[in-house]
Amino acid sequence: MPNNAFGDFQTPPELVKLVLDRLNAIHSLGWARILEPTCGVGNFIRGLTQSPIIIDGCEIQGIELQPEHLALATEGMNAIPLTTVKLRLANLFDINLHTDLTWESTGRLLVIGNPPWVTSSGLGILDSDNHPKRWNIKGFSGMDALTGASNFDLAEFIWIKLLYELKDQQPTIALLCKTTVAYNVLKFAAKKNLPLKTAGVWKIDSKKWFDAAVDACLLVIEVGTRWDISQIPIYNDLTSDSPVSMMGFEDGNFVVDVEGYRTVVEFEGVFPYEWRQGVKHDAASVVELTHDTQGNLLNKNGEIVRVEADYVYPLLKGSDLHKYPVKAFSKAVIVTNKYIGDDTRHIEQLAPHLWRYLCQHSDAFDRRKSSIYVGKSPFSMFGIGHYSFAPYKVAISGLHKSPRFIALGLQAGRPVMFDDTCYFTPLQSAYEAALMAALLNTPNAKKFLEMISFAGAKRPFSKKVLQRLNFQALFIACDKNQLLVDAKMHYRQISNESTDIIGNWHDEIDKLFVSALEQKRLFD
Ligand SMILES: C[S@@+](CC[C@H](N)C(=O)[O-])C[C@H]1O[C@@H](n2cnc3c(N)ncnc32)[C@H](O)[C@@H]1O
């Protein structure tokens, strides 16, 4: 039975064979020592014993946390001629791989396997103990050092542990992992100047092999004596010898496709407006509402919610933005504060119905796990500021694979809110919003964003990515006539005024340009 807390996807023997054949193609001289750090039921170890990549006298060691798995892995293992196989029941994070593993020889070392596919938030939900609590590496300050992200993959930790603890033995490390894990590891290794000699990424069909809807690959790293990588080939599958693209580092930025990036590098810059994230409340069951056909607002439990309208705003979530205008504005959200840190207790006097409703559902707020809510006013929210109440906005879903910007105006006189999977830039006029959306949807902007983001990431279009758009360069390069056609289309969606009586659109373009430059000065 797969066990989620252990990220348990045993690798099918056919896939093991493809991985081993690939390694044989990379290094036909084979390896004298092989480590499988999370060996599971032993599919890699069994595959290894039939593969030409092991040389006579090869020592194989495997580590596994779950006794039932190890029992299956151990079956029949002693009968392999000219090979020593040592399997141990242990938590990888309790072992120092440099000092605690004993080997008979000092021959070439290969680390191979498929570490757990589980994220820290997944572990949190499962309340698992399976994380590196006792593991500490000098100069490595926990998860922030990895990606800067609060949600990290256990496999990233395993990669970094292997690189740090085994680097003096200059191993080849070949692990199946999510492609985001592979990229994060490579970024981290480059940032920390770890001694990587070569690296290559072979994509795998994770739907076919693991029934998992996530991009995955075999990442193979050869450790040497210093960082020696300028480009990293990406291959379409394990049998392929010709890369489809080359990853690399351009001006300090990690780029998934160096050639492609160079065609759009002129659009690299600093976006003049600040991208804002939508409202964060972690209480969707209470504050996110839908309209029924009778004009009532319902919460997720189907209860009719009658609260003061002043605190209720139209809501678009990431999927609403992506398929806009289909089913747009069928949702609403209660917003309890006007800025972060605002004292929400005034609601009791000003909006007694809302206060009663919130108090009746306070358990949903009490269950919020994030530390950001600790010590804050009751029912308080984040991702809220003056910008949330701007009349016009251009917004994008951060989660979808291709970028799509939508211009939005007031909806029934109310500013539109977004959930925290969306990003938006607040604007003051319908012209600005229409032109901005048209500009950000130009082919150049789209291509640039696709080049600097990673479609397999959970959130390809983050604030960091969006902030790199060069407004000025996009503007100069775009087809102005097409820009006007597109801007008018956006304008018609957010304003009742005819596009023909708006005056001179060319003046509006100039104004937007000047305003963007002013914004840039403010923002800088
Ligand atoms: C994705 S499965 C892969 C198993 C095997 N490597 C394979 O490819 O068939 C991950 C394995 O890691 C094991 N595991 C998870 N956390 C571990 C830990 N902290 N120490 C050792 N093994 C662990 C799980 O029990 C599971 O068998």
Side-chain angles (χ1 to χ4, degrees):
M1 266 297 271
N3 181 332
N4 284 337
F6 301 126
D8 200 343
F9 290 95
Q10 304 297 316
T11 312
E14 301 86 336
L15 178 57
V16 166
K17 178 156 183 352
L18 286 172
V19 170
L20 296 177
D21 288 351
R22 172 47 50 200
L23 285 169
N24 192 35
I26 294 174
H27 205 286
S28 58
L29 290 180
W31 283 269
R33 297 181 298 146
I34 301 182
L35 171 66
E36 220 289 31
T38 57
C39 71
V41 302
N43 288 346
F44 265 103
I45 294 180
R46 245 181 296 279
L48 276 166
T49 59
Q50 284 147 34
S51 158
I53 73 168
I54 58 168
I55 60 173
D56 283 356
C58 180
E59 299 171 70
I60 301 177
Q61 299 206 32
I63 301 166
E64 171 57 44
L65 185 63
Q66 300 190 68
E68 320 79 61
H69 283 359
L70 195 77
L72 289 173
T74 312
E75 271 175 25
M77 271 312 165
N78 291 329
I80 297 148
L82 302 175
T83 309
T84 326
V85 180
K86 272 195 247 166
L87 303 181
R88 69 161 91 181
L89 183 67
N91 183 336
L92 179 66
F93 297 116
D94 291 342
I95 295 178
N96 179 323
L97 298 169
H98 186 53
T99 54
D100 297 348
L101 297 185
T102 48
W103 301 93
E104 296 299 320
S105 86
T106 53
R108 280 170 44 80
L109 173 65
L110 169 68
V111 181
I112 193 165
N114 175 9
W117 296 37
V118 66
T119 60
S120 58
S121 67
L123 292 173
I125 291 164
L126 295 157
D127 272 339
S128 165
D129 274 342
N130 191 15
H131 48 78
K133 54 181 176 298
R134 283 205 253 151
W135 170 57
N136 200 1
I137 285 173
K138 199 165 178 282
F140 179 70
S141 58
M143 68 186 181
D144 280 351
L146 256 182
T147 59
S150 56
N151 192 15
F152 63 92
D153 251 275
L154 202 55
E156 289 179 26
F157 262 120
I158 292 178
W159 262 108
I160 305 299
K161 178 177 170 72
L162 293 166
L163 287 170
Y164 271 87
E165 292 183 354
L166 295 173
K167 65 179 184 311
D168 293 344
Q169 303 181 46
Q170 299 185 9
T172 299
I173 309 179
L175 301 178
L176 294 170
C177 54
K178 292 185 208 165
T179 315
T180 43
V181 168
Y183 292 172
N184 283 340
V185 167
L186 290 167
K187 270 194 262 182
F188 176 79
K191 199 163 131 202
K192 294 280 168 183
N193 222 5
L194 296 184
L196 269 49
K197 194 161 88 185
T198 66
V201 171
W202 280 264
K203 294 184 188 173
I204 63 160
D205 182 347
S206 52
K207 184 80 195 133
K208 171 177 166 189
W209 297 113
F210 299 108
D211 197 21
V214 59
D215 287 359
C217 65
L218 174 74
L219 170 62
V220 182
I221 285 179
E222 283 187 283
V223 179
T225 50
R226 61 190 167 93
W227 174 266
D228 212 4
I229 293 179
S230 60
Q231 296 204 345
I232 299 161
I234 305 188
Y235 302 86
N236 251 348
D237 62 67
L238 282 165
T239 59
S240 164
D241 294 314
S242 338
V244 276
S245 59
M246 302 295 281
M247 269 195 285
F249 298 86
E250 294 278 300
D251 301 326
N253 288 312
F254 183 75
V255 182
V256 172
D257 176 353
V258 173
E259 290 282 300
Y261 175 74
R262 285 183 187 154
T263 65
V264 289
V265 67
E266 66 187 290
F267 306 116
E268 177 79 58
V270 179
F271 196 67
Y273 299 81
E274 185 165 2
W275 286 98
R276 301 288 187 169
Q277 198 168 356
V279 56
K280 179 171 173 58
H281 46 65
D282 292 305
S285 62
V286 181
V287 300
E288 287 187 6
L289 311 173
T290 46
H291 297 278
D292 74 3
T293 46
Q294 278 94 53
N296 296 311
L297 283 170
L298 307 180
N299 67 15
K300 294 235 159 127
N301 299 327
E303 297 162 358
I304 294 182
V305 179
R306 291 205 177 88
V307 297
E308 288 76 0
D310 243 16
Y311 291 80
V312 181
Y313 294 85
L315 171 70
L316 291 177
K317 296 171 73 110
S319 51
D320 300 318
L321 272 179
H322 204 67
K323 50 183 198 261
Y324 188 86
V326 178
K327 283 205 187 155
F329 306 119
S330 58
K331 303 184 183 85
V333 63
I334 295 171
V335 176
T336 53
N337 36 325
K338 289 263 188 275
Y339 53 89
I340 293 173
D342 190 7
D343 190 348
T344 51
R345 274 170 281 245
H346 65 262
I347 298 175
E348 185 170 9
Q349 309 301 324
L350 298 180
H353 294 292
L354 174 59
W355 186 254
R356 199 170 319 115
Y357 173 70
L358 293 172
C359 292
Q360 277 163 358
H361 294 85
S362 58
D363 52 331
F365 292 90
D366 297 342
R367 279 198 301 270
R368 302 191 292 184
K369 277 201 172 143
S370 173
S371 58
I372 59 172
Y373 301 110
V374 176
K376 299 292 179 312
S377 295
F379 319 119
S380 59
M381 299 183 172
F382 283 78
I384 284 286
H386 63 280
Y387 50 86
S388 313
F389 304 93
Y392 296 95
K393 289 158 183 162
V394 169
I396 180 175
S397 160
L399 303 189
H400 286 79
K401 283 182 194 256
S402 72
R404 181 170 184 234
F405 294 89
I406 307 292
L408 292 151
L410 295 173
Q411 189 61 25
R414 309 280 290 157
V416 176
M417 300 286 158
F418 309 96
D419 73 359
D420 63 352
T421 66
C422 305
Y423 297 88
F424 68 95
T425 175
L427 297 160
Q428 289 310 318
S429 80
Y431 312 119
E432 268 186 316
L435 282 163
M436 182 75 86
L439 185 67
L440 294 177
N441 284 318
T442 52
N444 286 334
K446 188 169 182 313
K447 181 150 187 222
F448 176 73
L449 286 173
E450 283 171 349
M451 281 298 140
I452 65 164
S453 61
F454 164 54
K458 222 169 173 193
R459 201 177 278 257
F461 305 111
S462 61
K463 172 171 175 152
K464 208 164 150 194
V465 163
L466 295 166
Q467 219 63 64
R468 281 169 62 184
L469 282 160
N470 185 333
F471 178 90
Q472 202 170 345
L474 284 171
F475 188 76
I476 290 166
C478 78
D479 171 346
K480 304 293 177 301
N481 289 329
Q482 187 59 46
L483 185 75
L484 280 187
V485 171
D486 295 343
K488 286 182 184 180
M489 185 266 296
H490 287 290
Y491 187 88
R492 279 191 290 272
Q493 290 187 340
I494 55 175
S495 171
N496 295 328
E497 285 190 42
S498 151
T499 50
D500 298 329
I501 56 157
I502 313 160
N504 188 337
W505 272 89
H506 287 277
D507 284 355
E508 295 302 337
I509 291 184
D510 291 347
K511 271 199 250 164
L512 176 68
F513 197 66
V514 171
S515 130
L517 294 180
E518 279 166 3
Q519 285 284 334
K520 179 159 165 43
R521 275 194 291 277
L522 287 177
F523 191 50
D524 284 347

